[in-house]
Amino acid sequence: MKYNPNEIEARWQKYWAENGTFMAEDVSDKPKYYVLDMFPYPSGAGLHVGHPLGYIASDIYARYKRHKGFNVLHPQGYDSFGLPAEQYAIQTGQHPAVTTETNIARYREQLDKIGFSFDWDREVRTSNPEYYKWTQWIFIQLFNSWFDIDANKAEDIRALVIEFEANGNTKVNAVCDDNIPLFTAADWKGYSGEEQQKILLKYRLTYLAETEVNWCPALGTVLANDEIVNGVSERGGHPVVRKKMTQWSMRISAYAERLLQGLDTIDWTDSLKDSQRNWIGKSVGAAVTFKVKENHNKFLHLLTGDDTGEFAIDVFTTRPDTIFGVSFMTLAPEHELVAKITTPEQKAAVEAYIEATSRKSERERMADVKTISGVFTGAYAEHPFTKEPIPVWIGDYVLAGYGTGAVMAVPAGDQRDYDFAKHFNIPIKNIFDGVDISEEAYAAKDGVKLKDSDFLNGLDYKKATKTAIEALEDIGQGKGKTNYRLRDAVFSRQRYWGEPFPVYYVNGLPQMIEDKYLPIRLPEVEKYLPTEDGQPPLGNSKEWAWSVVEHKVVSNDLIDNVSVFSLELNTMPGWAGSSWYWLRYMDPHNDEEFVSKKAQEYWESVDLYIGGSEHATGHLLYSRFWNKFLKDRGFITQEEPFKKLINQGMILGNSAFVYVYLLKCVNKENDGNIAIDVPRPTFFIVSEKDYENISEGNEIKSIENWLEAKYGNKETWTFEVRYNSSKIFKRHVDINLLQGLTDELDIERFRIDPLNKDLANAEFILNENGKYIVGREVEKMSKSKYNVVNPDDICEQYGADTLRLYEMFLGPLEQAKPWNTAGITGVSGFLKKLWKLYFDDNGLIVNTNQPSKEAYKILHKTIKKVQEDIENFSFNTSVSSFMIAVNELSAIKCHERTILEPFTILISPYAPHIAEELWHRLGHQGSIAKVPFPKFNPEHLVESSKEYPVSFNGKMRFKIELPMDMPVPEIEKTILADERTVQQLEGRAPKKVIVVPGKIINIVG
């Protein structure tokens, strides 16, 4: 009987689907275990072999936990809203829902072929109205909440209204907008309803605000920072600019400290935690207020008619001890004060600089530490203590969204300020005693004392910081403060294919649609582009208004009616649906709640979460934020959503390249006017070695030899390089154009490949064997690099179990590793060898004989190793253990049921299809999936005897097997009586017998 993976795998995949083998129990006496993968965005390209890596790892662990007696929840779904489907809709006119459905069907087909133990009965799709109904509901809860700093949690907005009614806001300590005026209870009651709504909007956890955003005109939408690469959109490569827009935002900043503290309670890698800590960016220091000089204020008031009082620049600094070293101030170009304080003389230069800066993303500005640029505003601030004038500049190294968008520049103590001051010839005051700052700033905190710092002279960093803060508080121009880099999250997108907001507007103020009328479904639109007047794509809908009487979406023509109002035209960002999806898996069919209390209390949170490191900040911060909020409001019980998190490494592609040389050949005999009989221009495809030689400026002979062979003596012709001033370039080649698993290019297929039309007539410089060997380079596996390996092809040729084992065998889960299809044959051979332990050509050969001690040792050694490896997520070493065990069992011709039956269970999490088939052929009914995992018995690894090497005067002459517990005197007696010892001694008495128990015997003659 031969091993036929295609037949076996199809049969067991069908069995699992028909019998609901992996459906989790809603109520169970078993302990629970929740294994989750970061769910995929279903793109049209489908899966390549790099995508399933994390899924295979999580599947092994889920299957292992079932064997260990757990009720395992291992669901899967799709993050199905997103920009790619919308862009495809813009290009083709096809509704994104159709594209998404097609892509999901493709993903599902591929996932099923690999044999994952997903509970597909719990599948979620973020673009399904039944799902995003609850995303809208959560948004409403955020809108109806505020963050109480004293309680350190979110509270119902109604509690805040009660406080306003009783005491006004004088006692309220909340995370809210800046500069909210104080009011009494009487004031509150005297406000109109609209005035009260405007005040509450400044406290709500989700709120409307004018925000600096990344605007992509070509895509007509706001982009998140991680959707921008090198200043252009990741999707399409379109320019992105910074601009202010009124957007929905969420006060994730309210949770900054809890997001930091929570990292100490979860089992994540240090690198992942550090990424979150750096993104949150906690800094302890002081808030300082610098007044803009009075004479400038008076001038500005006359010029603009703005008589609201003094202008002031608020800064946050971690070094208030250096306040006497301030020699200038820098504002972010977007800072709201820039337009107000810039003098007429500087207006043109400032506006030009602001316009240029708007074309850079924040990431570019942060990353570019070499370019120094800025413009003087013409305004001066006043030093809080000395009252000296301080020039106010703008510079793009300051970001509007970080801190206050302004810095007090101390060139002596900050290198970026130092470089700025040097570049613009701004004076640099040295405030550090005994430190030379002629070449660079002194950024250290400890080890020196201050000078030229008035009342701080002679103080060290700690004492000076404390003293400076106290002095600032005394004059009312500062206080101690903790700041965070984490900014409130912009929650609006100018797109069609996203969750609609459950929001309508009355007199410009947002109103929430009642829960019972959710979901608010996406409307049909004629086109998916922004409207002609720049409104988001939902503005193209003719039916996108809300009737507060009929409680439904109605025609826009009715908006003039007093009971019909405009709906929000923006949609939610892609991360909205992925910020709570793990909770929906717990109770996916509940129409009354996003998750029932009973289901959430049983499943609690995710025990193991596996996904890519690209989500180390955005997705994980937003998810933790929403989870903490939902706990605050009593909807769930757990503070953290993911107990343990592993970032799987990337499987890299092995790209193939050809190397192209462009020549123009001319005939010397005719004054260079008549071309030799070759196409012009002529592409030569040379070897990687020749490419390296030319790149280094060396001559190559291979092309000259080729030309001489074709056109005769070199004296009659010459050639010149003609390719964009480059002698040579390399090009990706589709790896499917290679001959089998080799590096040999199929030249004829290469010539007819549409991607290589310009090289169809290229001349190949072949090697001595008449072949062209491509160059190789390990890169990210990507469709654009033509190095993608389709898992369907691997499953078809070798089987899904081979793919699963091979992906684990490539290396440690968390490391990047290159894919090499040639190596997969070894894993395929291993499974065939495993099969032969159970079958020969005539059928099953498993017997009921008593196994040997060696067979027990092999089995239990493997049980111990595999269990330890799975629990430590060292899946690659497990696969090695299986291979060693099968080799050893084959060597001793082990076919005993007592050994092979538990071995089948042992390999089941890794290679489930062959395990199911073997289990069935061994006479068992049903699936192997929940059969108890084999128990390790250490007794089988205890050695009862030892084979001692016996040496004479240090030279080993023979070996002897003796009981491990034999006393040393007995060992001496036994060895001296052995005939081989007698022969070696030739009748002589030994001088000494040295015995090291369990190791060696040495006889000194």
Side-chain angles (χ1 to χ4, degrees):
M1 294 180 64
K2 291 186 176 180
Y3 171 50
N4 186 339
N6 290 340
E7 179 185 315
I8 290 169
E9 290 169 5
R11 177 163 60 250
W12 285 103
Q13 287 165 13
K14 182 181 179 184
Y15 176 91
W16 295 332
E18 291 177 348
N19 290 274
T21 304
F22 307 117
M23 289 176 63
E25 300 172 50
D26 289 323
V27 179
S28 176
D29 294 331
K30 297 177 182 178
K32 71 92 185 181
Y33 201 86
Y34 188 173
V35 182
L36 183 63
D37 302 292
M38 292 184 184
F39 61 172
Y41 173 79
S43 73
L47 298 171
H48 61 61
V49 293
H51 293 128
L53 178 68
Y55 300 163
I56 296 170
S58 66
D59 196 58
I60 289 170
Y61 206 82
R63 288 176 178 274
Y64 168 72
K65 282 295 187 179
R66 290 191 192 93
H67 286 305
K68 297 294 281 187
F70 286 81
N71 179 27
V72 175
L73 174 56
H74 185 38
Q76 186 58 284
Y78 304 97
D79 192 9
S80 49
F81 271 132
L83 188 56
E86 180 157 328
Q87 286 303 111
Y88 188 75
I90 291 170
Q91 294 163 9
T92 65
Q94 186 177 69
H95 197 288
V98 176
T99 308
T100 301
E101 183 63 38
T102 301
N103 294 345
I104 285 175
R106 173 76 179 123
Y107 266 57
R108 176 63 188 272
E109 178 187 22
Q110 290 185 290
L111 292 170
D112 283 346
K113 279 185 178 179
I114 303 173
F116 294 118
S117 62
F118 294 134
D119 181 352
W120 284 111
D121 185 58
R122 296 173 183 261
E123 177 195 303
V124 301
R125 303 179 183 185
T126 58
S127 59
N128 275 4
E130 293 74 18
Y131 179 85
Y132 67 69
K133 163 186 178 178
W134 297 108
T135 308
Q136 293 172 342
W137 180 86
I138 294 171
F139 176 85
I140 293 171
Q141 308 316 307
L142 283 155
F143 183 82
N144 288 328
S145 301
W146 64 290
F147 195 89
D148 185 340
I149 295 175
D150 294 334
N152 195 26
K153 60 180 290 194
E155 303 278 7
D156 193 317
I157 199 75
R158 288 175 293 189
L160 187 63
V161 173
I162 291 170
E163 175 63 21
F164 288 168
E165 289 173 344
N167 303 301
N169 68 348
T170 55
K171 298 180 180 178
V172 172
N173 189 14
V175 176
C176 56
D177 289 1
D178 294 330
N179 304 317
I180 299 177
L182 296 177
F183 54 83
T184 65
D187 292 333
W188 174 258
K189 292 172 184 176
Y191 293 148
S192 68
E194 287 189 2
E195 289 172 325
Q196 290 181 348
Q197 286 186 53
K198 289 177 181 177
I199 292 171
L200 288 173
L201 197 57
K202 297 176 183 296
Y203 287 89
R204 297 182 187 274
L205 278 181
T206 185
Y207 61 97
L208 283 169
E210 192 175 60
T211 313
E212 280 282 334
V213 296
N214 302 311
W215 174 251
C216 180
L219 298 177
T221 188
V222 169
L223 298 178
N225 284 332
D226 55 9
E227 294 173 316
I228 303 167
V229 179
N230 298 323
V232 297
S233 64
E234 184 179 35
R235 174 69 50 177
H238 303 294
V240 177
V241 297
R242 299 284 294 171
K243 66 179 288 189
K244 288 187 175 181
M245 294 180 67
T246 299
Q247 304 279 291
W248 281 103
S249 291
M250 290 200 172
R251 296 189 203 276
I252 187 174
S253 59
Y255 285 83
E257 188 62 30
R258 279 173 60 185
L259 288 167
L260 276 176
Q261 297 300 325
L263 294 171
D264 296 330
T265 69
I266 49 183
D267 184 9
W268 294 12
T269 63
D270 288 340
S271 62
L272 192 54
K273 289 182 179 182
D274 286 344
S275 293
Q276 296 243 317
R277 290 189 182 105
N278 292 337
W279 196 263
I280 295 166
K282 183 177 181 178
S283 302
V284 178
V288 185
T289 298
F290 289 78
K291 297 176 182 178
V292 177
K293 292 292 285 182
E294 186 179 355
N295 62 339
H296 180 71
N297 281 356
K298 288 179 179 176
F299 167 77
L300 190 69
H301 296 164
L302 291 171
L303 186 69
T304 64
D306 186 342
D307 195 21
T308 56
E310 283 191 333
F311 290 116
I313 300 171
D314 295 317
V315 303
F316 171 80
T317 177
T318 59
R319 298 294 304 273
D321 59 308
T322 65
I323 194 163
F324 286 98
V326 177
S327 58
F328 64 99
M329 303 197 72
T330 314
L331 306 182
E334 308 88 354
H335 196 291
E336 62 180 3
L337 277 182
V338 173
K340 296 178 180 178
I341 67 173
T342 298
T343 61
E345 295 83 2
Q346 294 298 110
K347 187 172 185 291
V350 166
E351 288 179 350
Y353 185 77
I354 291 171
E355 204 282 326
T357 303
S358 72
R359 293 193 289 269
K360 293 183 182 179
S361 70
E362 284 193 357
R363 281 189 178 177
E364 285 181 293
R365 286 162 61 178
M366 291 169 69
D368 186 4
V369 296
K370 294 181 179 179
T371 305
I372 300 171
S373 67
V375 175
F376 179 44
T377 64
Y380 290 84
E382 181 182 88
H383 192 284
F385 297 118
T386 69
K387 307 306 179 185
E388 294 174 352
I390 303 170
V392 181
W393 290 66
I394 61 173
D396 66 1
Y397 74 97
V398 182
L399 304 177
Y402 179 55
T404 64
V407 299
M408 61 175 222
V410 182
D414 182 276
Q415 191 61 42
R416 210 152 193 190
D417 294 343
Y418 184 94
D419 295 338
F420 194 95
K422 283 281 188 182
H423 185 80
F424 291 107
N425 296 315
I426 301 171
I428 298 175
K429 181 181 178 182
N430 189 356
I431 54 172
F432 300 113
D433 195 14
V435 174
D436 179 12
I437 61 167
S438 60
E439 298 296 329
E440 62 181 4
Y442 180 76
K445 293 180 178 178
D446 300 317
V448 299
K449 294 183 179 180
L450 295 169
K451 69 173 185 177
D452 293 334
S453 295
D454 200 274
F455 58 87
L456 300 180
N457 284 338
L459 299 182
D460 61 17
Y461 160 70
K462 287 186 178 179
K463 289 182 180 178
T465 296
K466 184 174 183 292
T467 304
I469 292 173
E470 289 172 350
L472 287 166
E473 290 175 346
D474 286 344
I475 64 173
Q477 285 191 243
K479 62 180 179 179
K481 185 180 180 183
T482 298
N483 201 45
Y484 299 90
R485 180 181 292 115
L486 183 67
R487 287 165 284 169
D488 286 347
V490 175
F491 198 67
S492 295
R493 297 293 186 268
Q494 291 66 46
R495 300 177 187 165
Y496 172 76
W497 193 233
E499 294 93 335
F501 282 94
V503 176
Y504 64 96
Y505 291 88
V506 178
N507 296 329
L509 290 171
Q511 314 294 320
M512 296 298 112
I513 292 169
E514 292 181 61
D515 299 352
K516 59 185 175 181
Y517 302 120
L518 301 180
I520 302 304
R521 299 169 183 264
L522 275 175
E524 293 295 326
V525 294
E526 292 181 359
K527 56 183 179 179
Y528 305 103
L529 289 166
T531 64
E532 292 180 0
D533 59 354
Q535 295 283 4
L538 289 184
N540 290 311
S541 175
K542 296 177 180 178
E543 293 196 351
W544 195 237
W546 183 252
S547 169
V548 297
V549 174
E550 299 179 75
H551 306 297
K552 68 177 185 179
V553 176
V554 296
S555 170
N556 296 347
D557 296 336
L558 300 174
I559 287 178
D560 290 338
N561 188 304
V562 293
S563 64
V564 177
F565 303 96
S566 299
L567 282 160
E568 172 67 65
L569 296 180
N570 291 306
T571 52
M572 299 185 197
W575 57 266
S578 62
S579 292
W580 71 280
Y581 74 111
W582 64 94
L583 294 165
R584 191 58 178 170
Y585 283 135
M586 298 176 185
D587 196 11
H589 307 298
N590 191 336
D591 293 330
E592 303 301 320
E593 302 170 275
F594 74 105
V595 59
S596 70
K597 184 178 180 181
K598 183 178 180 181
Q600 198 278 317
E601 286 179 347
Y602 176 71
W603 292 111
E604 294 182 334
S605 57
V606 176
D607 296 287
L608 173 64
Y609 196 29
I610 295 183
S613 59
E614 66 271 20
H615 301 294
T617 50
H619 162 63
L620 293 176
L621 280 171
Y622 299 143
S623 297
R624 295 178 63 220
F625 160 43
W626 277 35
N627 201 88
K628 290 174 186 295
F629 163 73
L630 291 169
K631 180 182 183 293
D632 285 354
R633 291 299 313 276
F635 301 122
I636 61 175
T637 61
Q638 301 298 306
E639 176 81 4
E640 289 288 341
F642 316 120
K643 294 178 183 176
K644 183 176 183 63
L645 176 63
I646 295 176
N647 288 143
Q648 82 272 15
M650 187 181 294
I651 288 185
L652 303 171
N654 196 356
S655 299
F657 293 90
V658 294
Y659 305 92
V660 186
Y661 200 29
L662 180 57
L663 305 176
K664 176 184 176 184
C665 300
V666 296
N667 190 318
K668 282 184 178 178
E669 293 181 338
N670 291 283
D671 299 324
N673 295 321
I674 301 175
I676 291 175
D677 187 23
V678 293
R680 285 191 296 169
T682 300
F683 287 110
F684 286 87
I685 298 181
V686 301
S687 69
E688 183 177 16
K689 182 179 179 181
D690 282 342
Y691 165 71
E692 291 170 354
N693 281 331
I694 299 171
S695 297
E696 293 171 6
N698 300 324
E699 291 290 329
I700 62 167
K701 296 297 182 184
S702 57
I703 293 179
E704 293 187 16
N705 293 341
W706 185 93
L707 287 167
E708 191 165 354
K710 186 162 185 176
Y711 299 111
N713 193 308
K714 183 180 177 182
E715 299 300 321
T716 64
W717 55 264
T718 187
F719 62 82
E720 305 169 35
V721 175
R722 290 285 185 273
Y723 187 78
N724 295 340
S725 302
S726 298
K727 289 185 175 182
I728 193 165
F729 65 98
K730 66 179 183 179
R731 175 182 291 184
H732 280 95
V733 177
D734 191 333
I735 59 172
N736 293 304
L737 297 179
L738 304 182
Q739 299 277 19
L741 299 179
T742 72
D743 292 337
E744 180 189 352
L745 181 67
D746 186 327
I747 294 174
E748 294 310 311
R749 289 173 59 211
F750 175 88
R751 291 190 190 281
I752 63 174
D753 183 22
L755 295 171
N756 303 313
K757 282 190 288 188
D758 58 328
L759 299 177
N761 296 314
E763 301 288 356
F764 280 84
I765 306 299
L766 306 178
N767 64 13
E768 61 275 11
N769 298 317
K771 298 177 179 179
Y772 182 83
I773 304 302
V774 297
R776 288 290 204 172
E777 193 173 311
V778 174
E779 300 182 291
K780 178 181 178 180
M781 190 172 284
S782 166
K783 194 174 180 182
S784 65
K785 300 182 187 299
Y786 307 103
N787 61 1
V788 168
V789 177
N790 190 330
D792 297 2
D793 297 338
I794 302 298
C795 291
E796 182 66 29
Q797 187 171 357
Y798 299 101
D801 285 340
T802 297
L803 174 67
R804 292 168 63 102
L805 285 165
Y806 183 59
E807 293 221 3
M808 293 298 98
F809 188 55
L810 282 172
L813 177 62
E814 294 172 82
Q815 292 182 10
K817 44 259 179 188
W819 177 271
N820 182 2
T821 303
I824 206 165
T825 55
V827 175
S828 177
F830 156 72
L831 287 175
K832 291 174 183 176
K833 197 167 188 177
L834 170 69
W835 185 263
K836 288 179 180 178
L837 287 174
Y838 299 77
F839 302 97
D840 64 12
D841 291 343
N842 298 313
L844 191 70
I845 55 173
V846 177
N847 61 59
T848 57
N849 299 340
Q850 179 63 29
S852 66
K853 290 182 179 179
E854 183 63 20
Y856 275 119
K857 180 181 176 182
I858 294 167
L859 173 64
H860 285 272
K861 176 183 66 175
T862 310
I863 293 172
K864 181 176 186 292
K865 176 65 173 155
V866 170
Q867 181 162 308
E868 289 173 351
D869 285 346
I870 292 177
E871 291 177 353
N872 291 318
F873 303 96
S874 300
F875 304 116
N876 58 314
T877 51
S878 283
V879 179
S880 299
S881 297
F882 291 136
M883 292 176 172
I884 292 168
V886 167
N887 283 337
E888 291 176 343
L889 292 173
S890 298
I892 63 173
K893 294 182 170 56
C894 175
H895 304 295
E896 285 75 37
R897 178 180 288 269
T898 308
I899 301 298
L900 296 185
E901 209 164 66
F903 194 82
T904 307
I905 305 167
L906 200 60
I907 202 170
S908 172
Y910 291 80
H913 305 90
I914 194 172
E916 291 276 22
E917 186 70 12
L918 294 174
W919 191 249
H920 176 69
R921 297 295 184 97
L922 288 169
H924 298 286
Q925 299 297 313
S927 171
I928 197 175
K930 297 179 183 178
V931 175
F933 201 74
K935 290 184 178 179
F936 166 63
N937 186 345
E939 293 180 5
H940 290 298
L941 301 190
V942 175
E943 299 284 355
S944 59
S945 63
K946 166 67 180 177
E947 188 177 52
Y948 284 89
V950 182
S951 300
F952 290 83
N953 297 320
K955 292 184 179 181
M956 200 274 285
R957 297 300 184 184
F958 64 88
K959 294 181 179 180
I960 186 170
E961 188 160 332
L962 299 172
M964 283 290 292
D965 57 355
M966 180 180 278
V968 171
E970 287 295 316
I971 293 175
E972 290 184 13
K973 184 177 179 181
T974 302
I975 199 66
L976 290 173
D978 192 280
E979 290 183 4
R980 291 168 292 182
T981 302
V982 174
Q983 288 177 359
Q984 287 290 329
L985 292 174
E986 297 178 341
R988 300 186 306 276
K991 294 179 181 179
K992 187 186 294 185
V993 178
I994 302 170
V995 177
V996 180
K999 293 187 177 179
I1000 62 166
I1001 301 170
N1002 187 32
I1003 299 171
V1004 181

